[in-house]
């Protein structure tokens, strides 16, 4: 039956080819109705797609997209090798939809301890394909047409399109910089929310606020006082908090990462999002999680079971082993969560020094593996184009990768369309790199400075 149908189709196509040719046969059947859903209107461009390609084409030193160029810890790699080649062949098969049992169990133990909550691994934790999918699930689960979601600028770029795809309206509130006194270098702590301005964004349509501390791209670690302000407004207006804490272990200078869910009234209304990519320096594994009350997580599970269903079993098994180790070594000098920020702080300081010496003024980050640098002194290399559609920093970053081989990300990518020109003289560098990579970046920067002073 099937064979007969195939041969008559072939016969039909050959006949068409001999009379009209293939191309017209196919062009006649082209669709003419619009295919793109309205949800996708205006979100087809993506900074990572664009700059990853530019970096691959032109860069010799890539400090753009955020990923370490050093390996994950040996214990994590070994755990994955064992998962893949060990006795338990079931680790190649599907596992539980909402998280591989060993992983959700250890995450519940670990975060239960940090939050002072008794967490049920089956209902208070869900594993996702990276923090990206956790974010997507949250917006799909909680946001309806007409709901407003408050986003603090600068923000990790995907929050805005994810809110609009869910039918919501993003409402932006900026962190405002205040120049430090007596010529000191600016710190990410100098960027603050205005409390009255933040309060003015909450109303009866506000469904959620997205908090990202430590913040990408600025590196700001929100203080207890700032978190208290946000928490009070959430409680007052009965608003959810989507707390993106993927850089929770990457804090410097003795600063402490405070979990907003631990503040009064917040556990019940907060979803915490984490990432094994950032936690264990393995961004390509794409293992993430959500932690929160079942009242919220049950709806995230509904989105997950109807979209992704579950994440790679072997990677989840290895991350579970990694957390087991960290649970045992918690707070001890051998803990990876103690060692990684120490190493990264040195790398941060190395890049700060290079940028400062070159005249590209850095803003010292309190956390994450990013820092912003002011490109104002380099304007003579990339002249302003009045009334250009493209923000200055974007043209600068493209020029820099093409002409200097150094890749970075323009800060305007972390602002909404209307505010892209507000702070367009900064670029973001990632310092989670090998010593040799940071040295190569320094060589480019110092040579560039020399050329400028001798010309
Ligand atoms: N949130 C923030 C603030 C990020 O910087 C990133 C990028 N790592 C993500 C979420 C997505 O994380 P993942 O790679 O685990 O999907
Ligand atoms: N979070 C990483 C960054 O900010 C990577 C983002 C991405 O590749 N989409 O660079």
């Amino acid at each position: 039956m099937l064979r007969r149908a195939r041969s008559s189709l072939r016969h039909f196509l050959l006949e068409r080819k001999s009379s009209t040719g293939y191309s017209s046969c196919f062009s006649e059947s082209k669709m003419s109705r619009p295919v793109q859903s309205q949800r996708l209107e205006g979100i087809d461009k993506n900074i990572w797609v664009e700059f990853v390609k530019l970096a691959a084409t032109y860069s010799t030193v890539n400090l753009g997209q955020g990923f370490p160029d050093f390996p994950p810890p040996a214990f994590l790699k070994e755990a994955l090798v064992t998962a893949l080649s060990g006795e338990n062949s079931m680790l190649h098969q599907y596992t539980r939809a909402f998280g591989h049992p060993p992983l959700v169990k250890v995450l519940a133990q670990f975060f239960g301890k940090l939050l002072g909550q008794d967490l049920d691994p089956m209902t208070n934790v869900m594993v996702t394909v990276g923090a990206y999918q956790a974010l997507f699930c949250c917006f799909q689960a909680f946001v309806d047409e007409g709901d407003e979601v408050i986003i603090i600028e600068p923000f990790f770029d995907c929050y805005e399109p994810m809110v609009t795809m869910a039918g919501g309206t993003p409402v932006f509130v900026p962190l405002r910089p205040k120049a430090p006194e007596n010529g000191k270098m600016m710190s990410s702590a100098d960027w603050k929310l205005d409390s009255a301005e933040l309060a003015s964004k909450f109303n009866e349509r506000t469904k959620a606020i997205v908090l990202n501390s430590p913040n990408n791209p600025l590196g700001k670690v929100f203080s207890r006082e700032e978190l208290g302000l946000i928490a009070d407004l959430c409680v007052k207006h009965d608003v959810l908090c989507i707390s993106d804490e993927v850089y929770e272990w990457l804090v410097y200078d003795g600063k402490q990462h405070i979990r907003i869910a631990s503040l009064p009234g917040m556990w019940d209304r907060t979803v915490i999002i984490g990432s094994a990519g950032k936690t264990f320096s393995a961004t390509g594994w794409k293992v993430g999680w959500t932690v929160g009350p079942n009242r919220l997580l049950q709806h995230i599970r509904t989105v997950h079971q109807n979209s992704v269903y579950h994440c790679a079993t072997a990677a989840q098994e290895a991350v579970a082993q990694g957390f087991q180790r960290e649970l045992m070594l918690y707070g001890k000098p051998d803990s990876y969560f103690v060692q990684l920020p120490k190493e990264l702080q040195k790398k941060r300081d190395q890049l700060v020094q290079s940028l400062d010496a070159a005249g590209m003024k850095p803003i010292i980050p309190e956390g994450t593996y990013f820092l912003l640098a002011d490109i104002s002194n380099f304007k003579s290399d990339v002249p302003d184009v009045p009334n250009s559609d493209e923000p200055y920093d974007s043209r600068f970053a493209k020029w820099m990768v093409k002409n200097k081989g150094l890749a970075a990300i323009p800060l305007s990518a972390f602002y909404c369309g209307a505010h892209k020109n507000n702070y367009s003289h900064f670029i973001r560098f990632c310092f989670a790199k090998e010593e040799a990579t940071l040295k190569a970046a320094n060589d480019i920067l110092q040579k560039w400075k020399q050329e400028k002073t001798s010309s």
Side-chain angles (χ1 to χ4, degrees), residues 129-132 135 156 159 212 216 244 246-247 275 278 283 286:
V129 179
Y132 255 104
L135 288 160
F156 183 50
Y159 302 158
N212 174 214
N216 177 10
D244 180 344
V246 300
Y247 300 103
S275 163
K278 302 295 140 100
T283 58
K286 293 299 286 187

Side-chain angles (χ1 to χ4, degrees), residues 22 30 46 119 154-155 231 235 249 258 285 324 409 413 449 453:
Y22 266 125
K30 255 193 183 164
N46 179 286
L119 299 184
F155 60 91
V235 172
W249 303 107
I258 297 165
W285 288 25
Q324 280 296 353
I409 307 291
K449 188 194 172 187
T453 39

Side-chain angles (χ1 to χ4, degrees), residues 226-286:
E226 289 170 310
L227 295 175
L229 173 73
I230 296 169
D232 288 349
L233 287 164
C234 286
V235 172
K236 181 172 168 198
H237 295 273
D238 200 19
V239 161
L240 291 169
C241 180
I242 298 168
S243 185
D244 180 344
E245 302 183 24
V246 300
Y247 300 103
E248 61 193 319
W249 303 107
L250 313 185
V251 285
Y252 312 122
D253 307 317
K255 277 251 149 69
Q256 206 199 342
H257 168 61
I258 297 165
R259 295 175 168 78
I260 196 165
S262 65
L263 269 49
M266 289 307 287
W267 166 253
D268 195 44
R269 59 180 72 252
T270 302
V271 178
I272 300 169
I273 293 175
S275 163
K278 302 295 140 100
T279 300
F280 289 113
S281 310
T283 58
W285 288 25
K286 293 299 286 187

Side-chain angles (χ1 to χ4, degrees), residues 344-388:
L344 285 172
Q345 185 171 321
K346 286 188 229 152
K347 293 176 187 296
R348 174 197 71 171
D349 294 344
Q350 191 177 339
L351 185 60
V352 162
Q353 221 173 16
S354 298
L355 289 163
D356 189 45
M360 205 180 268
K361 283 180 287 180
I363 299 175
I364 301 172
E366 304 153 276
T368 75
Y369 42 49
F370 304 115
L371 65 75
L372 297 179
D374 187 330
I375 51 178
S376 304
N377 288 342
F378 288 70
K379 275 216 156 154
S380 55
D381 287 304
V382 190
D384 247 334
V385 177
N387 306 322
S388 163

